[in-house]
Amino acid sequence: MTKLTFDITPIAIIDTPFQQKFTIPRQPNLANAPGIVKFTPEFADPRCLKGIETFSHLWLLFIFHETLSRGWKAAVKAPRLGGNNTLGVFASRSTHRPNGIGMSVVKNEGVKDVDGQKVLLVSGVDLLNGTPIVDIKPYLPYADALDNATDPLERYASIPNREVTFSEQAASYLQSAHNRYPQLQQLIQDILRQDPRPAYKHKLNDDPKTYHAALYDLDVSWRVIDGRIHVSKIAPADSTR
């Protein structure tokens, strides 16, 4: 077979709350995280978005830009199998892929004018801030939602749903930050209830380690205590922990 290569040009960059891979939901729509798709000059023509408002959900095709340099493997560790068992790369949604392309279905929140440019608002994102978007396609329920589809990994490890509590300091900070980030508390709850720790640690209902979630310009400190996720502190990311 003749080897073919193709150039892919990003059409946009997406702004999201997620400043690090850790704590990003494992799949889209597991948290109501917002995203702003900002188009590059070449693709900022408003005609590109004509009719997009008629679709409730959209597919975002993107590049795993932070892992491209690490290459790919034929067999990858599957987090839902405990982190040590492997699956074939094409039987997984690993970020380490031959062409580094990912896809996420997100809710369409509409088009908005920002500084004279059209941006696309979406929610339910699971993408790192600054991720390059290479294509956008409408989500078609009759073709994309199949009632008889199966997920064998669900038998091994369902996604956790832990209770999330907040310290007095964290609750107070949420109140003070409400005008800037009105959905911050719900976002933190949506993310942390899934227990972002490695799957092999999910059996630990008391974990002495303090973990950190980088959201927007904030650092969210949390631990697992008595089976619950406890947010101990929320502070600006550049402050001393």
Side-chain angles (χ1 to χ4, degrees):
M1 180 183 294
T2 302
K3 183 176 181 179
L4 300 176
T5 60
F6 301 90
D7 293 328
I8 296 179
T9 301
I11 63 169
I13 298 293
I14 188 169
D15 290 350
T16 79
F18 303 114
Q19 307 302 315
Q20 58 179 177
K21 182 180 177 182
F22 183 58
T23 72
I24 291 180
R26 292 174 174 83
Q27 297 297 334
N29 295 294
L30 294 180
N32 192 32
I36 304 175
V37 179
K38 298 180 177 179
F39 295 91
T40 62
E42 184 179 358
F43 302 100
D45 188 331
R47 292 176 296 178
C48 292
L49 296 171
K50 183 179 179 181
I52 202 168
E53 70 282 354
T54 63
F55 297 96
S56 66
H57 292 77
L58 303 166
W59 285 107
L60 302 182
L61 277 70
F62 59 92
I63 299 295
F64 290 111
H65 61 297
E66 288 215 338
T67 59
L68 281 178
S69 62
R70 302 179 194 175
W72 68 282
K73 297 179 180 179
V76 298
K77 291 182 178 180
R80 287 174 65 187
L81 296 181
N84 292 318
N85 295 324
T86 61
L87 287 174
V89 64
F90 300 133
S92 78
R93 294 198 175 190
S94 168
T95 60
H96 304 286
R97 315 192 67 80
N99 288 303
I101 297 174
M103 60 182 189
S104 289
V105 62
V106 296
K107 185 178 179 182
N108 180 5
E109 301 288 359
V111 177
K112 181 180 179 181
D113 284 300
V114 176
D115 298 327
Q117 296 289 333
K118 299 286 187 183
V119 300
L120 178 64
L121 306 181
V122 295
S123 63
V125 302
D126 61 341
L127 304 181
L128 189 68
N129 185 54
T131 293
I133 305 298
V134 297
D135 203 1
I136 300 171
K137 300 179 186 292
Y139 177 89
L140 304 177
Y142 76 90
D144 297 335
L146 304 177
D147 293 336
N148 60 347
T150 60
D151 171 13
L153 294 183
E154 184 64 23
R155 297 198 304 268
Y156 292 96
S158 58
I159 296 173
N161 186 20
R162 294 186 183 270
E163 180 183 350
V164 180
T165 62
F166 295 85
S167 69
E168 289 187 10
Q169 187 280 338
S172 177
Y173 196 96
L174 286 171
Q175 286 188 326
S176 67
H178 182 76
N179 288 338
R180 280 193 303 152
Y181 306 121
Q183 305 298 323
L184 180 60
Q185 180 172 344
Q186 187 62 56
L187 179 61
I188 292 173
Q189 290 175 316
D190 287 348
I191 293 168
L192 296 188
R193 65 181 171 83
Q194 301 169 47
D195 196 347
R197 296 177 301 166
Y200 70 89
K201 284 197 169 187
H202 287 175
K203 61 185 178 182
L204 298 178
N205 285 326
D206 285 287
D207 189 342
K209 181 176 179 178
T210 297
Y211 297 87
H212 297 270
L215 298 174
Y216 297 111
D217 56 350
L218 303 174
D219 178 84
V220 180
S221 304
W222 57 279
R223 285 182 55 196
V224 178
I225 303 173
D226 195 24
R228 300 179 179 88
I229 305 288
H230 181 67
V231 178
S232 56
K233 184 178 180 181
I234 303 175
D238 57 358
S239 65
T240 303
R241 290 179 180 173

